[in-house]
Amino acid sequence: MAPLPLGRIIAQVIVPLVAVLARAIPAAYSQAINNARRNGVDSSKAVTQVLTRQLEKSEALMILNLVEKEATAEAVEKQFERYFAANAVENGGSFYLQSKIYRAKEMLDDYLKEKRMEEKEADASKANDETKNESETKQ
């Protein structure tokens, strides 16, 4: 009995598999873009989110067990420290969960920073409007 031609068997399995994937991946991508358009999501934003894998604010809040109203820098830090320590790998925790907790904190820190910047801009704009109104009333 002759040994089986292993290379031929592998080629017979791999070639059709690659052909199927070559058709399925672009089809799935275009379907995802169409779904995003249908749901009113900008396709470039959807693609960026998939590629960067950044958490949504709502997901980050869920991970750290917070609601948006109580999401202050102190509360985020407190919850981060609590959950990060509880999931320490040294204590039998999960590195995956720690990374999700870290990314949630990172996302909420960025969100709070943007929120503070917007509030400062709004306050500055309000102060400029008040100054403008005062100068107009003096004339």
Side-chain angles (χ1 to χ4, degrees):
M1 187 169 170
L4 295 175
L6 186 59
R8 184 173 153 199
I9 293 172
I10 291 174
Q12 287 177 339
V13 171
I14 291 178
V15 169
L17 181 64
V18 169
V20 168
L21 288 176
R23 282 179 274 161
I25 291 173
Y29 180 77
S30 64
Q31 183 63 41
I33 296 297
N34 289 336
N35 288 343
R37 284 188 191 132
R38 209 173 317 130
N39 292 330
V41 176
D42 181 21
S43 60
S44 62
K45 183 179 178 184
V47 169
T48 302
Q49 230 174 10
V50 168
L51 295 177
T52 60
R53 307 289 276 161
Q54 186 175 14
L55 293 176
E56 292 285 329
K57 179 179 67 172
S58 59
E59 186 179 3
L61 289 167
M62 276 193 293
I63 289 170
L64 293 179
N65 196 25
L66 294 169
V67 292
E68 191 169 350
K69 292 178 183 177
E70 60 186 38
T72 63
E74 296 80 24
V76 169
E77 185 66 30
K78 178 182 174 190
Q79 291 296 85
F80 167 75
E81 288 175 0
R82 177 179 173 202
Y83 291 128
F84 198 81
N87 288 290
V89 177
E90 300 83 31
N91 299 335
S94 166
F95 178 75
Y96 173 75
L97 289 177
Q98 274 192 320
S99 66
K100 290 294 260 187
I101 293 164
Y102 180 81
R103 294 295 173 210
K105 178 189 181 295
E106 187 177 58
M107 191 281 160
L108 290 175
D109 285 345
D110 290 345
Y111 166 72
L112 292 171
K113 185 178 179 181
E114 287 176 15
K115 190 175 175 182
R116 281 192 299 269
M117 293 295 286
E118 288 173 2
E119 288 173 356
K120 285 181 182 179
E121 289 174 3
D123 290 344
S125 175
K126 187 177 178 181
N128 285 342
D129 290 343
E130 289 175 1
T131 305
K132 198 183 265 186
N133 288 339
E134 287 176 8
S135 65
E136 287 175 359
T137 55
K138 288 181 181 179
Q139 292 177 354

